[in-house]
Structures are given as C-alpha cells and as structure tokens.
Amino acid sequence: MRPRTLDEFVGQSHLLGAGSALRSAIEHGRPHSMILYGPPGSGKTTLARLVAEHSRAAFEELSAVQAGRAEVRAVIERAEHRRSLAPAEGGESPGAPGASAGPGEGQGATILFLDEIHRFNKAQQDALLPAVEEGLLTLIGATTENPAFEVNGALLSRTRVYALQALSDEHVAELLGRAAEQSAGGTPVDEDAIAFLSARSEGDARTALNALELAVATAAEAGEQRVTLARVEDALQRRAVLYDKAGDRHYDYASAWIKATRGSDPDASLYYLAVMLEGGEDPRFIVRRMVILASEDIGNADPQALSLATAAAAAVEHVGLPEARYALAQAAIYLALAPKSDAAGRALGAAQRHVREHGAQPAPAWLRSGPRPGQDKADYDNPHRHPGHLGPQQLLPEQVVGQRFYEPDEAEAQLDARLREIRRARGVEPR
C-alpha cells in the first residue's frame, strides 16, 4: 500500500507541495543527504523510497536497530565498487549484492536509507561521515527522536532536516479507503469503521493499516461479508499505547500534565497521568514533576501541596508500582484543585536579577558571623526582645534598602496580611 509516486503520497504538503524545494529535488532526480524526523507512520520510509525511485541511484536500506559498523562498512564497500564500475558516459553496469538497483545504477550513485538513525551511537555515526562528506553515499536517515539531540553535530551539518507531521484523520482515511479498494480481498469495509480507525490511529498510517488488515482477516475467517465497526474496534484494541520514554512523547505528555494541573483541571491531569503510566513512564520522573509543580505553581497559596507531593515521592520509592499509582492519583487531584500562586518563584527571580545586575552587596555588620580584624563589634538586635518579635534593625544591605522582591498575590491573602503588619511595625511604607 505504499505510494508509488509523489502524487499518491498523502500529507506533508509543507514539504512536498507544488514548487517546494524538496519536491523539485526529488522530481528532477537530485537527491541530497537528509534526516526525516517525524512520528511513527508519517511516511518517512515511503518518502525515502520515492527519493530513490526518482533518482539514478542504487538503494541500500539498513535498520540501525540491527545493523552495526560492519554492515555500514559493507554498504560503503559496495558503493565504492559501484562507483568504480560506473562508465564515464552512460551505459550499464552490474549491480551489487544486497542492493536494489534503480534506473541508471551504472551512474555509480548510492542512496543509503538508515531507519531509526538515532539508535546509532557516536562511533557508528562517525563511520558514515567520510562517505557522506565525499559524496560516496547520499544518506537518508529516519528518526522519531529530535535529531538535534540524537544525531552527531558533524553528521547533522552535512544533512538537511525535514520534519514530518502526524497525518490528519482525513489523510489516514484516504489511505484506508485506498487499501480497502485495492487489497482488502474483496471484502467491503464500512465507512464508520474507516472513520473510527482514522480517528483513533493518532495520525499513524502504519497502525491504521495493520488494524485494517487484521480486521479484514478476522472477518474473512468468520465468514462475514463486510468489515464492521465492531471488527476494527476489536483489532485496534490490541495496539499498545504509543509512548516513547526518552523522546518527544515523553516530554509532550509531561508538559501537558504540568499545564493541565497548573490550569486546575483534575480530569485533564488524571488523563495525562494515565497516558504516562500506561506508556511505561518511570513513576519517579512523574513524581519529581509533582514536587516541582507544588512549589513553582502552588507555593504558599497552599504549603500543604509540597508536603503531599514529597509524600507521594516517598510512596513511589517505598511501595513502587502498581500500588503507588494511588498516591500519584491522590497527589495529581490535590495539586490540580489547590489554589495557585507563582509569587515565590517570581520573588526569587526578582532577587536573582538584582544580584546579577548589581552584584552581591555585603550584609550589614550586625548580621555577619563576627567582626573582621580592625572592625568594631556590631550589636545584633534580637527581634525576640521586642513586642510582636519584630525589631527595627535594618536587615538588607544598605545599597538594597527599599527593594521589594516578594509581593503576595490574591491566593496568599493570609501572608499578605502578615507582611503588611510586619512592614507597618518596621516603619516601611506600604505600596
């Protein structure tokens, strides 16, 4: 069901629209080294094969999951042999074992498609550098991970990165409709079944097509004349949750959980927590985000939030999954419903900016640990000796007097009242 032409390719119009640089390069048989970065089932492998189809080059394909430096070396040797046999002007030459030849292989060019390129370590990626740099190989790498973090800078600088997007429901439906017409064994597929698969495949054409294939086979075995919604529901539920614990989905769902919880939506908070747990996320990573959020986004609006988050962290360490999920759920709900305040973070940020801009001023002599040589002892005025335990002695460096870093917001009403009382007692004008 892979598209055989660019016109059959579905989606990625931002890369392959009429007149685009990539489409023009492919159509005119001018392949260049590139990294195709995108989610599963977005068409990376298909696009690489279309590049090869339109070029006068041999096509080699490796999976970084299974291949190592020896396999890369073998590809390079075949590329060198192929180039050595290339006639000066036109003509034909024999192919090399292990490669599929495109038209005009005699030109000696070789395209290496390396799937899951992020699986290669630095040494393995370095082995490709000389061949790519001298033009012996045109490298097309495919990855679901951000190449800025997973591909060596030297190799990345010799390639162009093209970011593919997850397919829309309409694009997936188009692919499923084509598959149903051409290769479903003559068994009609109900429209609501295609609509369901399209909506639930998360833009992953491979997942949708695999589920359709299973549904068609199951329906045929049962002697059914149509593939129904019930059949595709049954087929799709066997798919595991799509989640990469070290890649974009890891960070995307963590970000979604933080923002949903900060936004005080317990249902959204629980949903993203469930996605992370079902995807196999490390619960210690999750609970660390909870502890951070308790201080960063709730703070003194509800100091108990930090206690609850650290208690959940202790539960994760002492109990572990699956039982610790109850503590995680309890913490997620509490954090979502707690009043929110970022005043503490803003206050510290303001103080740090002042220090960076003006330097660290020495503390008043009466606050230091003791007198320095040649200095008289300064008396510290203990506030416990004053009514209300509030003394008049200045506590900021002289150069910083008058600066106010902490201003409570409406979620910290009790602290605001206490601060006003303290400032009045110490003769500080209220703002």
Side-chain angles (χ1 to χ4, degrees):
M1 285 295 97
R2 291 190 189 278
R4 294 179 292 271
T5 67
L6 283 174
D7 289 334
E8 291 181 355
F9 193 89
V10 173
Q12 317 309 334
S13 59
H14 65 294
L15 297 178
L16 298 172
S20 67
L22 179 57
R23 186 182 186 101
S24 178
I26 295 173
E27 289 178 335
H28 290 86
R30 294 183 281 103
H32 53 268
S33 291
M34 65 185 78
I35 304 293
L36 303 178
Y37 162 49
S42 56
K44 299 183 294 294
T45 302
T46 296
L47 184 55
R49 292 180 178 178
L50 286 175
V51 171
E53 284 290 327
H54 284 78
S55 69
R56 297 170 62 81
F59 185 65
E60 299 263 9
E61 185 171 352
L62 293 177
S63 169
V65 176
Q66 300 172 324
R69 294 184 67 179
E71 288 76 11
V72 170
R73 183 66 250 175
V75 169
I76 293 174
E77 290 174 355
R78 289 198 293 271
E80 291 171 339
H81 178 70
R82 193 174 295 118
R83 187 167 64 176
S84 71
L85 295 178
E89 295 182 5
E92 298 289 338
S93 62
S100 58
E105 184 185 352
Q107 298 298 315
T110 300
I111 292 176
L112 169 60
F113 174 62
L114 184 57
D115 198 16
E116 306 287 345
I117 190 173
H118 61 275
R119 300 277 189 173
F120 263 18
N121 60 34
K122 184 179 186 299
Q124 291 170 314
Q125 292 184 28
D126 284 345
L128 288 166
L129 270 175
V132 173
E133 190 168 31
E134 68 175 274
L136 178 63
L137 290 178
T138 297
L139 173 67
I140 303 179
T143 178
T144 57
E145 309 292 339
N146 191 330
F149 304 122
E150 303 296 340
V151 179
N152 288 354
L155 190 59
L156 201 60
S157 69
R158 291 162 175 81
T159 62
R160 298 182 191 177
V161 176
Y162 294 107
L164 282 70
Q165 300 170 352
L167 299 180
S168 67
D169 293 356
E170 292 76 15
H171 290 147
V172 176
E174 181 179 342
L175 288 171
L176 292 173
R178 185 189 304 164
E181 291 176 3
Q182 298 179 11
S183 64
T187 305
V189 182
D190 290 349
E191 289 186 6
D192 59 351
I194 288 180
F196 173 80
L197 279 178
S198 304
R200 293 289 299 274
S201 62
E202 300 183 16
D204 186 339
R206 185 184 297 108
T207 291
L209 289 167
N210 285 343
L212 178 61
E213 182 180 25
L214 178 59
V216 168
T218 305
E221 291 167 0
E224 298 169 356
Q225 302 302 308
R226 305 187 64 81
V227 177
T228 64
L229 175 60
R231 280 297 175 201
V232 297
E233 285 179 329
D234 178 55
L236 192 61
Q237 74 179 2
R238 303 178 192 182
R239 180 174 70 90
V241 172
L242 284 176
Y243 196 85
D244 47 354
K245 290 187 286 183
D248 286 350
R249 286 178 179 266
H250 161 84
Y251 294 107
D252 286 347
Y253 282 117
S255 174
W257 180 84
I258 291 168
K259 291 168 183 171
T261 309
R262 178 187 296 148
S264 301
D265 187 334
D267 297 311
S269 179
L270 286 170
Y271 174 78
Y272 294 120
L273 173 63
V275 171
M276 289 190 285
L277 291 174
E278 288 296 310
E281 183 60 77
D282 184 347
R284 290 173 296 182
F285 169 81
I286 298 173
V287 82
R288 282 197 296 270
R289 304 280 78 74
M290 290 182 169
V291 172
I292 293 168
L293 184 138
S295 290
E296 181 181 8
D297 294 302
I298 297 173
N300 289 318
D302 184 354
Q304 181 64 22
L306 181 57
S307 298
L308 190 71
T310 53
V316 167
E317 293 296 334
H318 292 295
V319 179
L321 291 179
E323 290 83 358
R325 71 185 191 275
Y326 299 117
L328 292 174
Q330 178 185 353
I333 294 169
Y334 190 97
L335 296 175
L337 294 177
K340 305 299 188 294
S341 172
D342 63 349
R346 287 187 285 107
L348 180 59
Q352 287 181 310
R353 283 193 299 275
H354 190 279
V355 171
R356 285 194 294 266
E357 293 171 4
H358 303 283
Q361 304 299 326
W366 47 86
L367 296 184
R368 299 174 194 170
S369 57
R372 304 296 185 266
Q375 294 180 348
D376 295 332
K377 180 180 180 181
D379 291 329
Y380 169 61
D381 188 5
N382 193 322
H384 292 305
R385 306 294 180 262
H386 294 271
H389 303 268
L390 294 172
Q393 197 168 48
Q394 181 55 248
L395 304 178
L396 275 172
E398 182 179 352
Q399 300 88 337
V400 191
V401 171
Q403 291 291 327
R404 295 186 183 181
F405 303 115
Y406 173 57
E407 292 296 338
D409 57 28
E410 66 280 359
E412 299 176 333
Q414 288 184 324
L415 294 179
D416 186 38
R418 172 63 175 162
L419 182 59
R420 290 176 183 274
E421 176 188 350
I422 292 170
R423 285 175 173 169
R424 281 194 300 269
R426 303 191 72 247
V428 178
E429 290 293 328
R431 283 191 175 178

